[in-house]
Amino acid sequence: MDKGMSVSLWCEEVEDEQSQDHSQAEAQAPGHATGSPQLRAAWDPTVSGHRVIQRLLHVEERYMPSMLYVALIQRDPEHREELAKWALEVCCECGCDEAVFPLSVSLMDRFLSATLSLPVSPYCLAAGCILIASKLTECDNVSADTLCAAAEYSFQPSNLREMERVILATLRWDTAAVTPQDFLPHFLASVEDRGDGDRSESERELLSTLRRHSDTLAAMCACDSRFLGAPPSLVAAASLNCALRGLSNKGPTQLAVTGEALAELCQTDLAVLQCYSEMIEYALRQRLRSGLQQGPMEKDEEVENERPGTPTDMREIDF
């Protein structure tokens, strides 16, 4: 090779001028966190399908917490749910990618499953899991200082970095766990009709809304210890099934066919899928009812009898 040749591996990919001007305007806005804009690849249908789902199903068992841990947590779920809700709040406030929160909760459950004891600072553990998950899934990860500030400096950055090393050592650096959010795009692409180019704007908007609502329901399940022992594929299928019930314009027959397809995709019995779908709907009603308790009491009966839908945003659920 010619020594005079300049070789650079630096990525010089840039956005167009309009996107750059918009990003600069947002960065200059009051209260906006400064940072470089993230470029994401579009959804590639060639990396979806039955083969990918089968691979995820095969791998997900490796990242399940032990049954002893599940039994202990479900007997006394308060502390674990408190940490999961705090992690969700931090991820939302920091604007993390949707994959960060479920992965951080999975890391936390696996660590506690291996140790069966809370550390001296449980919030430092939750923050360490968020830090690792953010590094795995985001280009611009959450900083240690930001996580310390979110915990009101109950621990220092040095403590957080030490906790990060402890988590990695305990999990033997096997941190890329399978979560329900990994299954959702593949399930959604499989149950919906193919041919993206022929879809109308309203159909594409419906698919986007279904994905967003399914993510919301799956995040709700991550905070609820009743779903702790369920495989991620089952949680994803049940969340998508609930979102289809609440948003899709399909009739009962079509919804039944979709339910059978989802049960086949996650390799479970249809009755089990329906049971978990009803559990999610019940948990959703509980969350929404707890948020409406501050309003007029006469609305409670109406909410109870109404068929549950799915909220537009996680902020509409009182976690």
Side-chain angles (χ1 to χ4, degrees):
M1 179 183 291
D2 186 3
K3 294 183 180 180
M5 181 181 297
S6 175
V7 179
S8 174
L9 299 179
W10 183 260
C11 178
E12 298 180 354
E13 188 176 22
V14 296
E15 295 178 304
D16 55 32
E17 294 181 359
Q18 183 177 359
S19 299
Q20 288 181 350
D21 293 340
H22 180 68
S23 300
Q24 292 176 359
E26 286 186 346
Q28 294 174 359
H32 187 275
T34 59
S36 59
Q38 295 186 14
L39 299 176
R40 290 188 173 276
W43 167 254
D44 187 357
T46 61
V47 296
S48 183
H50 188 70
R51 177 181 60 84
V52 179
I53 294 175
Q54 290 297 315
R55 178 59 182 168
L56 288 172
L57 288 172
H58 176 72
V59 174
E60 71 172 349
E61 298 180 2
R62 193 166 96 191
Y63 300 101
M64 294 287 294
S66 67
M67 294 308 298
L68 175 59
Y69 170 74
V70 173
L72 292 174
I73 291 298
Q74 290 181 344
R75 184 182 303 173
D76 185 17
E78 181 179 353
H79 296 296
R80 186 261 181 192
E81 292 185 357
E82 182 180 351
L83 289 177
K85 292 173 184 177
W86 181 82
L88 177 61
E89 292 174 1
V90 172
C91 290
C92 290
E93 291 175 0
C94 296
C96 295
D97 184 81
E98 62 190 17
V100 174
F101 169 68
L103 180 56
S104 64
V105 174
S106 175
L107 293 173
M108 183 180 68
D109 285 329
R110 291 173 57 212
F111 176 84
L112 294 175
S113 177
T115 60
L116 292 180
S117 62
L118 281 172
V120 176
S121 177
Y123 289 98
C124 187
L125 168 63
C129 293
I130 295 174
L131 183 61
I132 296 173
S134 179
K135 289 180 178 180
L136 281 171
T137 58
E138 295 184 305
C139 299
D140 188 12
N141 62 278
V142 182
S143 66
D145 291 334
T146 301
L147 293 171
C148 292
E152 299 180 351
Y153 294 99
S154 60
F155 50 85
Q156 299 301 316
S158 58
N159 304 126
L160 180 57
R161 296 188 185 96
E162 180 62 28
M163 177 59 72
E164 181 184 14
R165 287 191 287 267
V166 171
I167 295 171
L168 292 173
T170 303
L171 300 182
R172 299 188 179 186
W173 290 81
D174 188 5
T175 54
V178 177
T179 66
Q181 276 72 7
D182 293 324
F183 286 95
L184 282 174
H186 303 291
F187 285 172
L188 188 59
S190 297
V191 300
E192 291 298 322
D193 295 332
R194 298 301 177 120
D196 295 348
D198 298 330
R199 288 196 182 110
S200 64
E201 183 65 26
S202 59
E203 290 175 333
R204 288 195 295 268
E205 184 178 352
L206 175 61
L207 290 177
S208 176
T209 305
L210 282 172
R211 171 64 190 277
R212 188 171 67 252
H213 289 200
S214 301
D215 282 328
T216 301
L217 294 175
M220 182 188 69
C221 294
C223 293
D224 196 328
S225 297
R226 287 173 292 187
F227 299 93
L228 182 58
S233 57
L234 180 56
V235 173
S239 299
L240 180 55
N241 192 35
C242 291
L244 285 167
R245 287 181 180 180
L247 295 172
S248 179
N249 54 3
K250 295 181 179 180
T253 303
Q254 291 176 306
L255 288 176
V257 172
T258 303
E260 293 176 358
L262 286 172
E264 183 179 355
L265 285 173
C266 64
Q267 296 183 357
T268 190
D269 190 82
L270 179 60
V272 176
L273 177 63
Q274 296 294 346
C275 177
Y276 272 87
S277 299
E278 292 172 3
M279 287 174 61
I280 292 177
E281 291 178 349
Y282 177 72
L284 178 60
R285 285 198 298 268
Q286 285 183 317
R287 304 293 183 183
L288 294 177
R289 191 185 303 116
S290 64
L292 292 173
Q293 283 179 352
Q294 298 177 355
M297 297 300 296
E298 57 269 14
K299 291 186 179 180
D300 288 349
E301 184 176 354
E302 180 182 354
V303 174
E304 176 69 26
N305 296 329
E306 184 180 1
R307 193 180 79 168
T310 51
T312 304
D313 197 307
M314 282 193 290
R315 290 172 294 185
E316 296 185 18
I317 302 180
D318 181 17
F319 284 100

